[in-house]
Amino acid sequence: MALSREAYRALEDIVGPENISEEPAILDSYAFQWLAETIRPGQSKFMPRPEAAVLPGSTAEVQAIVKTCNRYKIKVKPYSTGWYFYCAPQTEGVIQLDMRRMDRILEIDERNMFAVVEPYVIAATLQAEVMKLGLNCNVTGAGASCSLLASATSYHGAGPSSIFGGENNQNLLSLEWVMPNGDILRTGSLGSGLGWFCGEGPGPSLRGIVRGMLGAKGGLGVFTKCALKLSPWPGPAELPVEGTVPAYNSPLPDNFRAYSLAFPSWENYFEAYYKIYDNEIGYIAHRQFSMLGTELGTAFWMLYNDPTKTLDDIEEFTQKPEIKKLTEEMKIAFQIVLAGLTPRHLEYQEKVLDEILADTGGWKVAAMSQPAMERFTLLYLIRLGHKNLNFVYNGGWLGTFMQAGPPDYVKGYRHIAEEVTEPYQKKGLLVDCGVDAMMGPVGSMGGGGNCALEQFGYYDVADKESTDAVVSWTKDCVKGAIDKGFVPGKGSHYLAMGMTREQRQSSYASAPWLGMYRWQRKIKGIIDPNDIGDELYPTLDEPGK
Amino acid sequence: MALEDYRADCVSCSRCSYCKWIPFDHVKSWRFSRACPSIEYSKFQAYSLGGRLSVALSLMEGRSGYSEALKDIVWKCQTDGACDVADKICRYNIEGLEVLHELRFRLVEEGQTLPRHMAVIDNLRKEHNTMLKPKAGRGKWAEGLDVKDLTREKAEVVFHAGCRFSYDAELHNIPRTALTLLHKAGVDIGIMGKGEMCCGGRVYDMGYREQFTECARNNIRAWTKAGVKTVVTSCADGYHAFKRLYPELGANFEVLHTVEFIDRLIKEGKIKFKKAVPMTVTYHDPCHLGRRGEPYVPWQGKRKKIFGQIPVWEPPKPRYNGAWGVYQPPRDVLKAIPGLELVEMERIREYAWCCGAGGGVIDAYPDFSLWTAAERIEEAKSTGAEAIVGACPWCERNFMDAVKAKDEKIKVYDVIELVQRAI
Ligand code: SF4
Ligand code: SF4
């Protein structure tokens, strides 16, 4: 269903002919998305092809586009950095808004510790700029390549540094929003003309409406600017970087430490989480390196740090006695970065950490504290510039579980994730990297208190059987969680992407939080009267409709 | 190889966008964080490496066909490889730069060409150069130099000037100086003069595989006949062709860029500096000397799967990710010059921003080419340097044109020119 010439010309008049296209090859580059193959017929890598790709350059242009979409009843799907099948049109008849022209850091308020950004500002660039002022931003778990605005407004926004720097949904201050009806709403203090410093007033505090349950994923208008809370950065104005590509490292000053902490049991492991929360230590804390599987991950990290080696060498690495030993040692482990705001602050944290380890039977993994590995760990976790390593084995990766809660809750589903995964790895349908391929934030919100573990399944995206298997594994993960009384977890969101509208409605209707879907219907009814947003802002139909 | 052989590479792109940025660990500012001139200039997703992988897949699956828009996507790209380096920060199983080339090979084979490129190819066939100039003028740059003519004599070392240095009169001083320096240092060196043939590297990047092979075979034959053991060039494009592409055709010469040779001679005490050059300069890494200048490693292997679903190569496949390019020798040469201060730009070494001239862009899209160069000039200016120094005539020509177009003050030099001043 191509756009009418009239509608196309109207859009072209807004952005100029160089910023709109309906060339099939260009449109297919928008339709191509990670995970499309798990839900599309024939495992196609392509989501529905947008009718046009449009690149607005300002809020005024976005508003004009949205009004045009209302006039011509065209659906619109905006994305910022656009990584995920969530970002693509979900159906035919949609135009894709690629926000890359709106890429400016508009303001950094050093004293009040916030930055105002447009959609295409990524974590790496904002972090580099604010570090010059002794500040830092929370880089989300998806890493340095991702839009901060998207993480704050439209998804979850947790990351390894959330324990100190908060989640980005918490860090969201004032916001400029082109609502689906074409009106512009400015939330928080901005709504009262008082600047960007506060999300909750003295102006409309609509964070709940803006974000819904987990962010509207581009389904509820277009967020054009937002302010984000920053946190202190006690390091140099510029990250010092050394080493040979790909595993660069950072020789940071003495007030930084990075450790991999290992524990004799999961009981001890989660006990350490509580003690870290209680004592408020840690700049970054994350179970990160286990994401590549506890059987294979250590070998990978070691070869990754040798620029003369490639993935083709991984088998050889697994056979090395020292790596076998380290693999065993790292099975129940997480990574922590301590940063001293003052020398005494670091000293205090070190002492507390040592006591926590003494109390829980944990230890600092010596091989990971060697200077080279420590410097690698520091840079890796601070910048999070290597998160595409999720795809390193074969280009296919899917995450399940990740239900956030206190450590005791997370402890409850950890072994379910392993049990469900084992047969798929044993049969060789998913990468046999160890049934524990779980990662997650030690404290997924500021100050800690809750955490999560995400189980990774690695499938060969070019292999039909393996791709089929990952879908079936995801279903088993969701079922496994529900059967044991847990909420369905991240995999359920992915599975929902492959459902028909009717199937989705029935799943919303049986969800424990179905009231939320009803409220979202009411909200959408008011601000999206022509239904130009997509179903990723989930709503439950009124009974009988 | 054919495009279809890269299907797995295309589908396994995760759409993460790393290929649009320099390696994130190295991001120092918002302003100089981008890596890919193509997406920055043309903006649509298709103009990135990831975008082009999806376009290739779309073409292979028959979802989109040949069109002017497709040609624009395929060729409005310098094949500079910054994307490939960034992609390989996390990926071992995508050969992005090879896919960019295969797309071009496919379009050329199917007759889907650009008129401006065809003009270059026609001239190459008839006149043996990519500069749209007659063959007769090729040796002019060396007029008056006392040097062996290897079309008649023999020497250990051949100095290959390349098309740009041969025909761009404003740059003639550079190969003349390089050659003279090497000669004076006692190197048994000669040139092919007007019998010199294009290296073929640039037409390879433009997608003309056959023409490249023809050039390469001609050069290999001529050098072998002249008893050449070592090939030296001051052109990064030529260096890449000789170092990386010719060995695939069986060539077995030592290949050195003049910056490597001069660095070696300085370290051996055979070149000594006598004068100070009080100047602050910044060095631009030419893509074909840096990330694309890694040595060729012979390899043949088979795909197999390990640990269930990890596709790997047996024996391990050589990895070209920019780690082993020529970065330090030009810096060491500059640092050895008395009085000269080297300041670095933010995007350097394997993640340097391209000069804009490569991949046939200077021929087909001069505006884009100049825009890319102007972006680099901005970065050079941000260091406070008085001059940007390169090691490739294509970069230097493009920078000189950008400086002129923007009426900038910054100077453009080749490393050789500063060496000459210090001697
Ligand atoms: S080509 Fe590589 S870096 Fe670019 S989007 Fe694809 S996976 Fe990411
Ligand atoms: S080769 Fe250069 S211009 Fe082409 S896609 Fe890669 S980075 Fe962009």
Side-chain angles (χ1 to χ4, degrees):
Chain A
M1 187 187 77
L3 293 181
S4 73
R5 289 308 80 195
E6 200 186 332
Y8 188 86
R9 273 194 297 278
L11 292 167
E12 191 179 50
D13 285 347
I14 297 166
V15 293
E18 68 282 16
N19 292 310
I20 181 167
S21 176
E22 50 182 358
E23 288 292 341
I26 286 185
L27 298 182
D28 265 359
S29 71
Y30 287 98
F32 181 96
Q33 275 294 353
W34 164 39
L35 291 177
E37 67 280 6
T38 63
I39 58 161
R40 296 290 289 164
Q43 297 183 347
S44 172
K45 282 297 298 181
F46 296 96
M47 295 292 284
R49 184 189 270 174
E51 306 305 334
V54 186
L55 279 67
S58 66
T59 303
E61 286 185 10
V62 172
Q63 183 180 36
I65 292 165
V66 170
K67 284 187 172 170
T68 303
C69 289
N70 273 285
R71 188 169 347 125
Y72 293 98
K73 308 278 184 292
I74 305 164
K75 280 188 179 289
V76 59
K77 181 75 183 186
Y79 79 44
S80 303
T81 37
W83 191 8
Y84 245 114
F85 59 174
Y86 293 155
C87 300
Q90 306 300 304
T91 57
E92 314 294 327
V94 181
I95 63 163
Q96 181 102 60
L97 285 201
D98 174 348
M99 303 298 287
R100 64 169 291 119
R101 288 178 65 217
M102 296 182 69
D103 66 348
R104 292 168 306 164
I105 298 169
L106 296 167
E107 183 184 341
I108 300 172
D109 185 327
E110 186 181 351
R111 290 185 63 189
N112 292 302
M113 296 174 65
F114 69 81
V116 182
V117 295
E118 291 188 320
Y120 198 71
V121 172
I122 63 164
T125 55
L126 184 68
Q127 187 185 59
E129 291 297 341
V130 300
M131 276 181 171
K132 294 171 188 167
L133 304 169
L135 296 169
N136 201 355
C137 58
N138 173 52
V139 183
T140 69
S145 62
C146 294
S147 160
L148 287 169
L149 175 140
S151 73
T153 60
S154 306
Y155 205 45
H156 196 65
S161 57
S162 290
I163 193 163
F164 186 82
E167 292 171 327
N168 286 345
N169 68 67
Q170 299 169 322
N171 290 332
L172 178 63
L173 303 176
S174 281
L175 171 73
E176 180 184 86
W177 177 23
V178 178
M179 297 195 295
N181 62 7
D183 289 347
I184 295 178
L185 187 78
R186 295 182 177 88
T187 66
S189 48
L190 189 70
S192 300
L194 296 172
W196 294 90
F197 70 95
C198 183
E200 309 295 354
S205 167
L206 295 176
R207 198 195 304 241
I209 284 180
V210 165
R211 293 193 39 83
M213 185 177 74
L214 188 63
K217 306 188 196 86
L220 199 66
V222 189
F223 305 108
T224 44
K225 296 179 183 98
C226 78
L228 290 165
K229 187 88 192 101
L230 303 171
S231 52
W233 163 245
E238 197 175 275
L239 281 175
V241 179
E242 294 180 353
T244 306
V245 63
Y248 304 112
N249 64 76
S250 188
L252 279 169
D254 265 359
N255 59 328
F256 284 88
R257 295 276 188 281
Y259 299 114
S260 284
L261 306 179
F263 298 85
S265 74
W266 284 104
E267 282 297 322
N268 301 125
Y269 175 97
F270 284 112
E271 189 55 28
Y273 275 30
Y274 282 113
K275 289 179 182 286
I276 284 171
Y277 304 157
D278 290 347
N279 291 285
E280 300 188 6
I281 63 163
Y283 192 72
I284 294 172
H286 207 257
R287 188 170 198 249
Q288 175 72 209
F289 291 152
S290 53
M291 73 180 186
L292 293 173
T294 49
E295 297 291 346
L296 212 48
T298 307
F300 176 79
W301 295 113
M302 294 300 140
L303 82 79
Y304 190 64
N305 273 273
D306 181 345
T308 66
K309 298 294 177 185
T310 86
L311 187 62
D312 302 340
D313 299 299
I314 195 164
E315 257 181 330
E316 175 203 320
F317 268 66
T318 58
Q319 297 310 314
K320 295 186 182 202
E322 69 278 15
I323 288 179
K324 281 187 175 171
K325 192 165 158 270
L326 188 57
T327 298
E328 270 314 299
E329 189 181 356
M330 291 278 285
K331 283 212 165 134
I332 307 177
F334 66 87
Q335 283 68 45
I336 190 164
V337 171
L338 304 181
L341 301 178
T342 63
R344 286 192 63 208
H345 183 216
L346 180 68
E347 206 181 309
Y348 163 78
Q349 291 185 79
E350 287 273 30
K351 270 191 194 159
V352 170
L353 183 60
D354 287 344
E355 279 199 29
I356 291 173
L357 292 175
D359 286 355
T360 56
W363 66 93
K364 296 169 180 165
V365 178
M368 301 298 283
S369 297
Q370 296 301 312
M373 270 323 275
E374 184 184 27
R375 292 201 296 254
F376 169 72
T377 308
L378 280 171
L379 185 56
Y380 182 101
L381 287 173
I382 290 169
R383 184 53 55 94
L384 270 194
H386 299 245
K387 280 315 298 277
N388 196 31
L389 281 172
N390 292 1
F391 298 87
V392 74
Y393 288 142
N394 44 25
W397 159 72
L398 195 149
T400 56
F401 291 88
M402 196 60 164
Q403 298 90 332
D408 280 329
Y409 175 79
V410 174
K411 189 164 59 182
Y413 67 70
R414 191 199 57 75
H415 67 94
I416 308 172
E418 292 186 351
E419 284 159 20
V420 176
T421 304
E422 191 170 9
Y424 287 91
Q425 291 194 355
K426 282 268 146 5
K427 284 184 205 147
L429 293 167
L430 300 179
V431 173
D432 191 5
C433 58
V435 289
D436 172 5
M438 279 175 268
M439 59 144 263
V442 171
S444 65
M445 59 188 207
N450 75 346
C451 60
L453 284 176
E454 181 173 9
Q455 170 79 317
F456 284 14
Y458 296 103
Y459 61 103
D460 181 356
V461 71
D463 182 308
K464 186 178 177 317
E465 211 189 351
S466 185
T467 305
D468 279 339
V470 84
V471 177
S472 154
W473 170 76
T474 307
K475 288 178 183 162
D476 287 353
C477 288
V478 171
K479 184 172 179 306
I482 293 172
D483 286 352
K484 296 274 166 53
F486 291 91
V487 293
K490 196 174 179 184
S492 65
H493 298 291
Y494 296 153
L495 293 174
M497 294 284 290
M499 291 178 182
T500 62
R501 189 180 147 71
E502 290 66 35
Q503 287 169 327
R504 271 188 218 170
Q505 283 297 310
S506 120
S507 100
Y508 298 159
S510 60
W513 45 79
L514 83 167
M516 187 269 302
Y517 294 127
R518 287 198 181 120
W519 274 107
Q520 293 198 168
R521 178 187 71 231
K522 290 180 187 172
I523 291 165
K524 185 175 165 84
I526 295 166
I527 63 174
D528 188 8
N530 292 312
D531 191 22
I532 69 157
D534 70 21
E535 280 199 49
L536 294 189
Y537 183 70
T539 57
L540 180 60
D541 290 347
E542 269 181 74
K545 287 210 173 168
Chain B
M1 297 285 272
L3 190 55
E4 278 67 19
D5 296 322
Y6 292 90
R7 196 174 186 285
D9 300 58
C10 296
V11 299
S12 69
C13 162
S14 64
R15 179 53 184 85
C16 67
S17 290
Y18 278 46
C19 47
K20 294 171 183 150
W21 305 87
I22 65 169
F24 295 114
D25 291 344
H26 282 288
V27 169
K28 295 178 184 65
S29 73
W30 175 88
R31 177 66 183 87
F32 300 118
S33 54
R34 320 286 171 118
C36 169
S38 182
I39 182 102
E40 294 310 317
Y41 187 76
S42 298
K43 300 189 235 37
F44 292 104
Q45 165 68 11
Y47 290 82
S48 60
L49 171 59
R52 288 186 171 94
L53 297 182
S54 62
V55 169
L57 189 62
S58 171
L59 189 67
M60 281 188 266
E61 293 187 353
R63 293 171 56 96
S64 49
Y66 296 131
S67 65
E68 288 308 308
L70 181 84
K71 287 197 230 172
D72 199 67
I73 293 166
V74 170
W75 273 294
K76 206 179 264 178
C77 149
Q78 281 93 350
T79 59
D80 60 88
C83 51
D84 199 48
V85 169
D87 169 68
K88 286 173 177 166
I89 293 286
C90 295
R91 302 300 297 272
Y92 293 84
N93 42 19
I94 296 178
E95 290 295 350
L97 193 54
E98 289 180 25
V99 179
L100 297 184
H101 280 101
E102 285 298 337
L103 256 175
R104 290 174 177 211
F105 300 151
R106 157 72 70 93
L107 262 66
V108 167
E109 278 155 24
E110 302 273 327
Q112 300 291 325
T113 56
L114 297 179
R116 286 181 184 225
H117 283 175
M118 282 315 295
V120 173
I121 297 301
D122 287 345
N123 195 73
L124 178 65
R125 283 192 190 118
K126 289 190 211 108
E127 306 292 343
H128 298 179
N129 71 79
T130 56
M131 299 286 291
L132 307 180
K133 294 277 169 55
K135 195 166 16 183
R138 181 115 198 166
K140 273 198 181 141
W141 67 273
E143 272 174 8
L145 291 180
D146 174 25
V147 63
K148 282 185 183 172
D149 176 354
L150 298 193
T151 57
R152 290 182 282 111
E153 297 168 83
K154 293 199 178 230
E156 286 271 309
V157 181
V158 62
F159 180 85
H160 182 94
C163 297
R164 171 59 65 183
F165 273 138
S166 293
Y167 289 98
D168 193 329
E170 231 183 313
L171 301 174
H172 278 173
N173 176 49
I174 298 162
R176 287 176 70 88
T177 307
L179 187 57
T180 310
L181 274 173
L182 298 178
H183 193 52
K184 280 191 179 161
V187 179
D188 175 24
I189 195 163
I191 59 171
M192 289 290 166
K194 66 173 181 295
E196 185 182 277
M197 174 77 155
C198 168
C199 68
R202 293 185 66 80
V203 296
Y204 179 89
D205 276 352
M206 284 157 66
Y208 294 82
R209 195 162 24 188
E210 269 181 37
Q211 279 66 36
F212 158 73
T213 308
E214 220 170 281
C215 292
R217 293 210 191 286
N218 260 308
N219 282 324
I220 293 168
R221 208 177 302 125
W223 297 338
T224 307
K225 202 168 150 208
V228 165
K229 302 271 179 304
T230 301
V231 184
V232 178
T233 180
S234 295
C235 173
D237 270 314
Y239 179 84
H240 164 257
F242 306 147
K243 187 92 178 176
R244 187 67 185 278
L245 302 178
Y246 280 30
E248 286 190 53
L249 300 172
N252 191 20
F253 306 97
E254 180 192 28
V255 178
L256 291 172
H257 191 279
T258 41
V259 292
E260 292 177 288
F261 213 142
I262 286 173
D263 181 44
R264 192 190 276 183
L265 293 173
I266 293 170
K267 286 172 182 160
E268 288 170 357
K270 293 184 182 156
I271 290 181
K272 290 203 169 68
F273 295 126
K274 299 193 187 86
K275 292 186 218 147
V277 183
M279 193 188 282
T280 305
V281 304
T282 190
Y283 175 71
H284 165 79
D285 289 279
C287 309
H288 288 79
L289 182 61
R291 57 181 163 252
R292 292 198 62 195
E294 295 179 296
Y296 171 77
V297 181
W299 173 84
Q300 267 196 322
K302 288 196 310 280
R303 216 77 206 256
K304 66 170 187 178
K305 273 194 176 178
I306 57 171
F307 298 104
Q309 293 296 338
I310 305 181
V312 291
W313 294 98
E314 189 177 52
K317 192 177 175 193
R319 181 156 160 84
Y320 300 105
N321 66 341
W324 316 115
V326 179
Y327 306 113
Q328 206 50 44
R331 288 177 168 79
D332 286 350
V333 171
L334 292 171
K335 284 178 189 163
I337 296 175
L340 189 137
E341 192 192 346
L342 174 65
V343 287
E344 294 283 10
M345 290 183 273
E346 289 188 17
R347 295 174 287 192
I348 54 169
R349 302 174 82 97
E350 70 272 16
Y351 52 98
W353 179 263
C354 166
C355 75
V361 166
I362 197 171
D363 311 284
Y365 302 102
D367 291 350
F368 171 38
S369 182
L370 265 192
W371 174 88
T372 308
E375 168 72 9
R376 191 59 161 167
I377 294 297
E378 280 304 311
E379 189 174 355
K381 277 165 51 191
S382 75
T383 65
E386 297 153 64
I388 180 167
V389 184
C392 175
W394 295 93
C395 307
E396 286 148 20
R397 165 48 56 205
N398 229 25
F399 291 151
M400 284 155 71
D401 290 350
V403 165
K404 196 166 164 202
K406 300 247 167 190
D407 203 14
E408 300 284 2
K409 300 279 172 294
I410 193 164
K411 306 250 183 339
V412 180
Y413 294 117
D414 189 287
V415 174
I416 295 295
E417 294 176 285
L418 299 178
V419 168
Q420 184 188 26
R421 285 187 184 203
I423 285 177

